Amino acid sequence: AYQVGPHVWVRWDNHLLTSYRAHPTQKYPYFYPLIGPLSGISLTSETSLPWPHHRSMLFACDHVNGGNYWQGDFAAGQIFSDGPTLGHTTPNSIEIMDRCQWHKPDQPTVMTDDRKFTVSVPNDRLRLIDAVIKLTAVEEITITKTNHSLFSIRAAADIAPVGGGTLLNSAGLCGEEATFGKPADWCTYFGPRKAAESRIVEGIALMNHPHNPFPDCPWFTRDYGFISPTPFNFIEEPWRLPAGESVELKYRVVMYA
């Protein structure tokens, strides 16, 4: 891995694996691309229709103390990186660390997050990204009901149902209608890569850690390629985090052939 300003590039065998993008002119930091192990094609999409505000693999949220840290004008809220750094390195893994400030431009920070991503390559058909994100309330945080929240993936169209791919969850349920709002350990998209020279089948899975603070967390799923384990689309009362308190969230992303 190597860093160029606010961008971190991760390569394996000198082929691009992913890039962490934390430029201050963005709504929030995000990863793009997430390259399939065999095809060399991204398993995620950046700014594609019908919802071009989705950025591949992201962590963000709407309705945070009235601010929007997910989409729309930057004046509604931005997640600003303090500047990513590279951590521990092994022959097949790298750590990327960052501290982010949640606030509207020229206004005080309402929340921070400390994030660590460990990118690893167990074998030629598997890539992993393990995420640990600690949210800390600077002032009391109130999040009201929203479908735009937390750790999310926007899959490439060719592995989503709209492009002939499959959406599957850990309970064996397939498709948006069966998986939407249902608790699951993980959800995945997979399918044949249309742009590959041969018939390569690849997929991307998002795993919700069992110790995350939202038990039996329901998933927001879409056949066009969006998945997120988020409780906030299904809450009846606002979720609150008192000033000075923190919660830790963990996720695993699996890119596989």
Side-chain angles (χ1 to χ4, degrees):
Y2 54 90
Q3 187 168 349
V4 181
H7 296 250
V8 176
W9 297 87
V10 182
R11 303 181 73 86
W12 174 255
D13 194 25
N14 206 26
H15 296 287
L16 179 63
L17 195 161
T18 190
S19 178
Y20 180 69
R21 301 161 182 261
H23 200 276
T25 59
Q26 299 166 180
K27 185 76 171 178
Y28 46 69
Y30 65 98
F31 279 86
Y32 180 81
L34 297 174
I35 298 295
L38 296 184
S39 70
I41 304 166
S42 183
L43 290 157
T44 58
S45 177
E46 183 186 36
T47 73
S48 60
L49 299 174
W51 307 110
H53 55 270
H54 292 154
R55 299 288 193 274
S56 181
M57 188 179 97
L58 63 122
F59 182 83
C61 194
D62 192 3
H63 297 184
V64 178
N65 288 12
N68 186 339
Y69 297 87
W70 181 275
Q71 65 176 356
D73 294 337
F74 288 4
Q78 274 183 272
I79 304 173
F80 293 93
S81 165
D82 284 355
T85 58
L86 295 175
H88 183 63
T89 303
T90 75
N92 70 334
S93 69
I94 185 71
E95 290 180 346
I96 302 169
M97 295 169 292
D98 200 3
R99 181 177 177 86
C100 294
Q101 313 282 337
W102 296 50
H103 62 86
K104 298 177 181 179
D106 301 321
Q107 294 193 25
T109 296
V110 299
M111 183 165 65
T112 64
D113 76 65
D114 293 279
R115 52 184 69 184
K116 181 177 75 173
F117 302 97
T118 303
V119 183
S120 59
V121 181
N123 59 58
D124 288 343
R125 290 178 172 263
L126 204 59
R127 313 281 188 261
L128 305 178
I129 301 180
D130 289 314
V132 180
I133 302 172
K134 182 180 179 181
L135 284 173
T136 301
V138 177
E139 60 183 54
E140 182 175 79
I141 295 298
T142 300
I143 299 176
T144 56
K145 184 181 177 72
T146 175
N147 59 321
H148 299 145
S149 52
L150 303 186
F151 203 96
S152 306
I153 284 176
R154 177 68 185 271
D158 63 337
I159 61 171
V162 292
T166 298
L167 164 60
L168 175 72
N169 74 5
S170 59
L173 302 175
C174 289
E176 175 184 327
E177 185 175 350
T179 59
F180 183 86
K182 303 295 177 57
D185 298 327
W186 49 261
C187 282
T188 183
Y189 292 102
F190 64 90
R193 307 313 308 272
K194 290 184 177 179
E197 292 182 0
S198 59
R199 188 175 173 82
I200 295 172
V201 176
E202 291 178 328
I204 187 167
L206 173 55
M207 298 179 172
N208 190 39
H209 197 284
H211 293 163
N212 280 347
F214 310 110
D216 298 323
C217 182
W219 285 68
F220 193 96
T221 61
R222 287 290 187 251
D223 280 341
Y224 63 75
F226 180 84
I227 50 175
S228 178
T230 173
F232 297 144
N233 186 64
F234 307 97
I235 58 175
E236 299 300 328
E237 299 294 330
W239 180 82
R240 291 182 171 85
L241 184 64
E245 293 195 8
S246 301
V247 293
E248 187 173 81
L249 302 170
K250 297 180 180 180
Y251 306 92
R252 168 169 281 183
V253 177
V254 184
M255 296 161 277
Y256 59 90

